[in-house]
Amino acid sequence: MEKIRMQTPLVEMDGDEMTRILWQMIKDELLLPFVELNTEYYDLGLERRNETDDQITIDSANAAMKYGVAVKCATITPNAARMTEYDLKEMWKSPNGTIRAMLDGTVFRTPIVVKGIEPCVKNWKKPITIARHAYGDVYKNAEMVIPGAGEVKLVYVPADGSPEQTVSVHNFDGCGIVQGLHNLDHSIESFAKSCFEYALDTKQDLWFSTKDTISKKYDHRFKDIFADLYENQYKARFEEVGITYFYTLIDDAVARIMKAEGGFIWACKNYDGDVMSDMVSSAFGSLAMMTSVLVSPDGKYEYEAAHGTVQRHYYKHLKGEETSTNSVATIFAWSGALRKRGELDGSKELMDFADKLEKATLDTIESGKMTKDLALITSIQNPEVLNSQDFILAIRKNLETML
Ligand code: NAP
Ligand code: MG
C-alpha cells in the first residue's frame, strides 16, 4: 500500500510521562505505517523546556501560527515537587497557558461518544462542546476583607487626565468582603470570534449564556459584543451553513442542556466554563475520553487530549509493570489535526484516513476491547481489558481492514 502524502507540515508538540509513551506508540502503530508523516517536531517534554529556558514552547506556538494546525501531547506544568524531580532552573509556566496566550485562543472541549459508554444524562445522544473564555473575571480579581464600617467605591482614573468616575459599591456598617472584577473588550471579541469560527468549522449551533439581566453592564457587555459580531460578521455565513446562534440566560441554558440531545457548542464565561466543563465531562463518562482544541480568532487550530500526563501510570511503567492507559483522546487529537491539515491542503485522502482512524478506534471499543478505565464504566458485557500497547494494536488491526 502506498503511504498517504502530506503537503504542508503539521506542528507536532511532544510531551511528558505516560502520554509521551502513548504518543510514540500511536505514531509507530497507527500513523507511520500509513502516512508519510510531515511534521515539524517540537519537544515540549519538561527536560527540553528546561534546557531551552522554555524557548521551545514559544517556538512551537510560532510554528502553530505559521502552519495553522498543531497536535500536542500532554505536558507537565511544573510545581514545587517537579522542581526537584527534574532539577529545574525555574518553575516554567504551563505550556498550554503560553500557547493559548500567544494564539489568543479559546479552548473547546468535546467528549468522544461511543456505544457502551453511555452518558448519565440519558437524552444526551451527541457530544456537548464547552467553550470557556480564558481571561479575567474572578481569576484576575482584586479582593478585600472589610474590617469594619466604611464605604467601598469603584474609582476609574482616566489615563488622559479627564475627570474620574466613581460608583459606590457598598456603605458597610460592619465587617464584610468585597471583590473587583474586570474584563477586556478585545479579549471578549477574540473569544466570540473563536466561537463563531469553530461553530462554522464544525457545523454546530452555538449557544452563549450570561446573567445579563442582573449584571446590566458587565455581563451585558459580553452579550452585546457577541450580538454585534454575529449581526455584522457571521449571520450570513451561519445561515449559509444552516446553523444558529442562540443567546439565553445562564440558568435557562443549564435547564435546557439537561433536556437537550447535544450536538452543539456552549460558550461560557470563564467561571461558568470552569464549572460546567467538569460537569459535562463527568456526565459523559471519563476524562480520558475528552478531546480539546484550541482555536484562535483567525482560525488556527491546536488539538490535544483534555487529560494530563497520567503520572501514576508512568511510574508503574518505569517499574516495568503493565499499564492500561487510555490512548483514545490522544488518538483523536492526531485524527483531528490530520483531518484539519487535509482540509486546508485539499487532501481528501488525509481526511478519509482521519475518519477511518477514529472509526477503527470506536469499533475496537464497541467490540468489547478497551482499557481498564472504560471497562469499569461500560455497559458492554464481559469487556476484554487490554494493556496500553495491546489496545493500540487492536485498533491497528481494525484500521488495516479498512485501508
Ligand atoms: P491526569 O494526568 O489527567 O491523571 C489523573 C488521573 O486520571 C490518572 O491518575 C488516572 O486515574 C486518570 N486518567 C487520566 N487520563 C487517563 C487516561 N488517558 N487513561 C486512563 N486513566 C486516565 O492528571 P494529574 O495526574 O493531575 O496530572 C499529571 C500531570 O499532567 C501534571 O504534571 C499536570 O501538570 C499535567 N497536566 C497536563 C495537562 C495538559 O498538558 N493539557 C492537563 C492536565 C494536567 P487512575 O490513576 O485512577 O488510573
Ligand atoms: Mg474546573
Side-chain angles (χ1 to χ4, degrees):
M1 187 198 116
E2 220 180 290
K3 288 195 198 180
I4 300 165
R5 295 263 172 78
M6 285 176 65
Q7 207 179 311
T8 317
L10 174 66
V11 179
E12 175 184 351
M13 303 166 171
D14 206 344
D16 288 299
E17 301 194 311
M18 199 58 211
T19 41
R20 189 180 178 98
I21 308 287
L22 297 178
W23 195 260
Q24 197 58 50
M25 287 180 188
I26 292 168
K27 283 175 67 178
D28 288 344
E29 301 298 339
L30 303 177
L31 303 173
L32 290 167
F34 313 106
V35 181
E36 202 75 67
L37 260 195
N38 176 7
T39 70
E40 199 166 291
Y41 179 85
Y42 292 87
D43 182 0
L44 301 194
L46 187 50
E47 274 154 20
R48 186 82 188 123
R49 278 182 275 150
N50 193 48
E51 268 167 37
T52 63
D53 294 341
D54 210 22
Q55 184 60 39
I56 190 83
T57 306
I58 293 165
D59 293 346
S60 75
N62 280 322
M65 290 194 265
K66 176 176 168 192
Y67 293 112
V69 190
V71 57
K72 182 181 169 291
C73 179
T75 46
I76 293 169
T77 299
N79 56 15
R82 301 299 196 166
M83 293 290 289
T84 354
E85 186 185 352
Y86 285 84
D87 190 19
L88 300 180
K89 295 188 240 175
E90 251 183 63
M91 204 183 284
W92 307 110
K93 286 193 209 146
S94 145
N96 287 51
T98 303
I99 297 166
R100 187 172 61 207
M102 285 180 68
L103 268 71
D104 190 19
T106 295
V107 174
F108 296 81
R109 275 175 145 214
T110 309
I112 297 159
V113 175
V114 58
K115 274 189 223 108
I117 316 290
E118 277 78 29
C120 30
V121 181
K122 65 177 187 308
N123 43 289
W124 288 359
K125 304 283 183 244
K126 293 182 218 159
I128 294 170
T129 297
I130 299 231
R132 174 181 169 187
H133 185 215
Y135 181 82
D137 300 353
V138 71
Y139 306 88
K140 277 218 187 312
N141 70 352
E143 310 188 321
M144 221 187 261
V145 173
I146 305 302
E151 190 177 10
V152 174
K153 296 176 179 175
L154 273 183
V155 184
Y156 166 57
V157 186
D160 66 4
S162 40
E164 292 182 2
Q165 292 177 40
T166 305
V167 292
S168 176
V169 175
H170 190 68
N171 212 336
F172 289 82
D173 54 16
C175 305
I177 42 180
V178 68
Q179 181 177 59
L181 307 185
H182 81 276
N183 225 299
L184 307 171
D185 283 6
H186 174 74
S187 173
I188 302 168
E189 274 164 29
S190 292
F191 172 49
K193 281 184 189 164
S194 297
C195 291
F196 289 128
E197 291 292 337
Y198 194 63
L200 285 166
D201 186 55
T202 57
K203 299 186 177 57
Q204 297 183 90
D205 291 344
L206 175 65
W207 294 24
F208 180 46
S209 55
T210 73
K211 192 75 184 175
D212 67 285
T213 47
I214 300 297
S215 172
K216 291 191 170 67
K217 292 206 165 71
Y218 195 100
D219 278 21
H220 213 288
R221 187 90 185 151
F222 280 82
K223 179 184 176 181
D224 288 345
I225 288 175
F226 267 73
D228 285 350
L229 271 170
Y230 179 67
E231 283 302 321
N232 298 320
Q233 290 186 33
Y234 289 99
K235 196 172 177 193
R237 288 168 70 194
F238 266 54
E239 285 171 358
E240 213 173 283
V241 174
I243 56 173
T244 56
Y245 169 60
F246 172 57
Y247 176 84
T248 189
L249 284 174
I250 178 81
D251 31 2
D252 180 51
V254 169
R256 284 170 188 262
I257 292 278
M258 284 301 156
K259 305 231 164 114
E261 247 202 17
F264 52 86
I265 299 163
W266 183 14
C268 292
K269 287 178 59 203
N270 210 349
Y271 175 81
D272 300 338
D274 183 349
V275 177
M276 292 306 162
S277 64
D278 285 338
M279 184 195 72
V280 168
S281 74
S282 98
F284 268 107
S286 157
L287 184 61
M289 295 291 279
M290 194 55 101
T291 60
S292 172
V293 49
L294 174 74
V295 182
S296 76
D298 58 345
K300 314 278 193 231
Y301 294 78
E302 181 243 293
Y303 295 82
E304 64 178 307
H307 60 77
T309 60
V310 211
Q311 181 182 19
R312 210 181 59 83
H313 295 207
Y314 180 58
Y315 286 152
K316 279 177 71 181
H317 171 83
L318 288 183
K319 279 195 264 168
E321 290 172 31
E322 195 171 72
T323 59
S324 180
T325 315
N326 188 336
S327 47
V328 173
T330 307
I331 294 170
F332 273 62
W334 273 100
S335 59
L338 290 172
R339 183 184 297 106
K340 178 51 83 180
R341 190 67 274 164
E343 204 180 296
L344 294 176
D345 290 352
S347 167
K348 191 162 178 314
E349 262 193 306
L350 199 54
M351 292 166 72
D352 283 348
F353 175 76
D355 291 344
K356 285 175 183 159
L357 176 55
E358 289 181 0
K359 185 163 188 318
T361 304
L362 298 180
D363 285 355
T364 304
I365 298 170
E366 286 173 10
S367 75
K369 295 180 191 324
M370 59 192 81
T371 46
K372 193 175 156 199
D373 57 309
L374 296 182
L376 291 171
I377 57 171
T378 186
S379 58
I380 294 173
Q381 297 293 306
N382 307 315
E384 185 183 343
V385 178
L386 299 180
N387 66 36
S388 307
Q389 172 97 27
D390 287 347
F391 178 64
I392 288 171
L393 290 175
I395 297 170
R396 176 169 177 170
K397 240 184 167 174
N398 273 336
L399 184 59
E400 276 169 344
T401 64
M402 292 179 186
L403 292 167

